[in-house]
């Protein structure tokens, strides 16, 4: 089992930047694939970015954030990051950190952090 705590959300103007952090504890962080999802009221939680186990591992992004967002991980610090640049109002959402134990088919979620982008 792993516990996840997100931080770094807040209010930013359109075109600005934020960096989200997700600190993990309770298990071996480096054995989990990590991801960021986001959700707004009345909508399904959607994938934003994923990164595989290794530091500097393979990544994939939602089309809507390609070229603007970057996911990375530091296994020594048990932390995954989401650097968000050129933010748009449509990026406004609660952002959730995800740890995926693919061998067991289990997902773990953080509590979420609010990102609000003003127009």
């Amino acid at each position: 089992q792993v516990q996840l705590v997100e931080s770094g959300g807040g209010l930013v103007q359109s075109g600005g930047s934020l960096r989200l952090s997700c600190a993990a504890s309770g298990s071996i962080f480096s054995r989990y694939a990590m991801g960021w999802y986001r959700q707004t009221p009345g909508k399904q939680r959607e994938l934003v970015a994923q990164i595989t186990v290794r530091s500097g591992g393979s990544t994939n992004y939602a089309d809507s954030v390609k070229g603007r967002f970057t996911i990375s991980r530091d296994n020594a610090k048990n932390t995954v990051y989401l650097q968000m640049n050129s933010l748009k109002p449509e990026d406004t959402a609660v952002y959730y950190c995800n740890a995926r134990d693919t061998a067991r088919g289990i997902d773990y979620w953080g509590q979420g952090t609010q990102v609000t982008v003003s127009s």
Side-chain angles (χ1 to χ4, degrees):
Q1 186 173 330
V2 63
Q3 292 78 47
L4 306 172
V5 179
E6 303 98 331
S7 62
L11 175 64
V12 65
Q13 65 182 0
S14 181
S17 298
L18 287 172
R19 189 179 74 159
L20 305 184
S21 298
C22 174
S25 63
S27 192
I28 303 174
F29 174 79
S30 61
R31 296 183 179 179
Y32 294 87
M34 303 297 297
W36 288 95
Y37 291 71
R38 65 187 181 188
Q39 187 172 26
T40 56
K43 296 179 63 178
Q44 292 275 44
R45 191 171 297 183
E46 66 175 348
L47 172 69
V48 177
Q50 290 179 318
I51 188 167
T52 54
V53 171
R54 295 171 59 89
S55 296
S58 298
T59 59
N60 70 87
Y61 299 90
D63 288 341
S64 60
V65 307
K66 285 181 179 177
R68 300 189 297 120
F69 291 10
T70 303
I71 188 171
S72 61
R73 66 190 297 163
D74 187 336
N75 289 343
K77 296 181 179 179
N78 290 352
T79 302
V80 64
Y81 305 95
L82 185 67
Q83 179 66 47
M84 305 185 293
N85 298 326
S86 301
L87 283 162
K88 305 174 181 179
E90 51 262 46
D91 295 318
T92 296
V94 177
Y95 284 71
Y96 295 91
C97 182
N98 167 261
R100 180 162 295 162
D101 184 341
T102 56
R104 299 179 182 179
I106 298 173
D107 284 300
Y108 302 95
W109 298 94
Q111 84 288 349
T113 185
Q114 177 71 46
V115 172
T116 302
V117 184
S118 61
S119 59

